[in-house]
Amino acid sequence: MVSWVALLWVLEAIDVIAGHRLDTLGIVPRKSGELLDIVPSAFTHFGFEHVASNSLPLLVLGFIAALRGIGRFLAVAFSIIVIGGLGVWLVAPAHTNTAGASGLIFGLFSYLLVRGFVDRRALDVVVGLIVGVLYGSILWGVLPTATGVSWQGHLFGLIGGVAAAFLFRERDRPAAVTGP
């Protein structure tokens, strides 16, 4: 996760040096060519303050989610990014540009929150409850209260995290059978 967050900072530095050309990798709604920007939009930010506000929650939530394995984490993250990005592409206001890791953060939050219930693992339920207590206030971010903040990205990231919990749930293990 440190490498992931470091990449976000490097990309923002490149963006500044390049005259903010990477900002065009955000999602502009309902333009078919913009579908290609869904994944890159989660890695680009609109300034150092923007990437700074996403860094700590991404580090913490990403680290916790990655404890189950890097392959599973990458699949979960990719799913959240795609589902969240498609939601933004469909419902964000026309002539807007949405970018940043906050949709992924909201998705990781909801993934961790529901994963234990979906997998029926007590430890993960406890982890989800702790995550809920520590980061539950971010849920205000799904409300359209702040100008310049994509509540759509937050909401659909949240939905993507719940979907990822079901998509990547641990399948039921067969019960142990004892012999006579």
Side-chain angles (χ1 to χ4, degrees), residues 7 11-12 14 20 52 60 125 128-129 160 165 168:
L7 173 64
L11 288 171
E12 187 54 34
I14 291 169
H20 299 285
V60 172
V125 170
L129 292 173
F168 300 103

Side-chain angles (χ1 to χ4, degrees), residues 39 57 61 66 70 79 81 85 112 121 131 133 138 144 162 168 173 179:
V39 173
L61 298 173
I70 194 70
S79 298
I81 290 168
L112 292 169
R121 293 177 60 133
V131 165
V133 167
I138 72 169
V162 172
F168 300 103
R173 295 180 209 117

Side-chain angles (χ1 to χ4, degrees), residues 5-47:
V5 171
L7 173 64
L8 300 182
W9 282 89
V10 167
L11 288 171
E12 187 54 34
I14 291 169
D15 185 41
V16 168
I17 293 167
H20 299 285
R21 288 192 184 119
L22 295 182
D23 290 352
T24 62
L25 296 175
I27 302 168
V28 177
R30 293 169 299 285
K31 293 188 179 207
S32 59
E34 293 294 314
L35 289 169
L36 296 174
D37 289 339
I38 286 176
V39 173
S41 71
F43 293 87
T44 57
H45 289 80
F46 301 130

Side-chain angles (χ1 to χ4, degrees), residues 13-172:
I14 291 169
D15 185 41
V16 168
I17 293 167
H20 299 285
R21 288 192 184 119
L22 295 182
D23 290 352
T24 62
L25 296 175
I27 302 168
V28 177
R30 293 169 299 285
K31 293 188 179 207
S32 59
E34 293 294 314
L35 289 169
L36 296 174
D37 289 339
I38 286 176
V39 173
S41 71
F43 293 87
T44 57
H45 289 80
F46 301 130
F48 287 111
E49 184 178 328
H50 187 201
V51 74
S53 68
N54 285 332
S55 293
L56 184 60
L58 184 58
L59 273 170
V60 172
L61 298 173
F63 175 77
I64 296 169
L67 288 174
R68 280 286 185 78
I70 194 70
R72 182 176 179 167
F73 168 74
L74 291 173
V76 165
F78 181 75
S79 298
I80 292 168
I81 290 168
V82 170
I83 292 167
L86 284 172
V88 167
W89 186 82
L90 285 169
V91 303
H95 312 294
T96 59
N97 185 8
T98 302
S102 59
L104 176 58
I105 292 165
F106 276 75
L108 291 171
F109 169 79
S110 63
Y111 169 76
L112 292 169
L113 204 60
V114 302
R115 176 180 73 181
F117 296 102
V118 171
D119 287 347
R120 297 183 179 147
R121 293 177 60 133
L123 178 61
D124 288 337
V125 170
V126 171
V127 168
L129 292 173
I130 293 168
V131 165
V133 167
L134 294 176
Y135 285 97
S137 64
I138 72 169
L139 289 173
W140 292 108
V142 301
L143 300 175
T145 56
T147 57
V149 176
S150 175
W151 63 268
Q152 299 91 348
H154 297 170
L155 175 63
F156 286 102
L158 201 71
I159 291 168
V162 172
F166 283 95
L167 286 170
F168 300 103
R169 70 184 175 273
E170 290 189 359
R171 305 293 182 208
D172 293 334

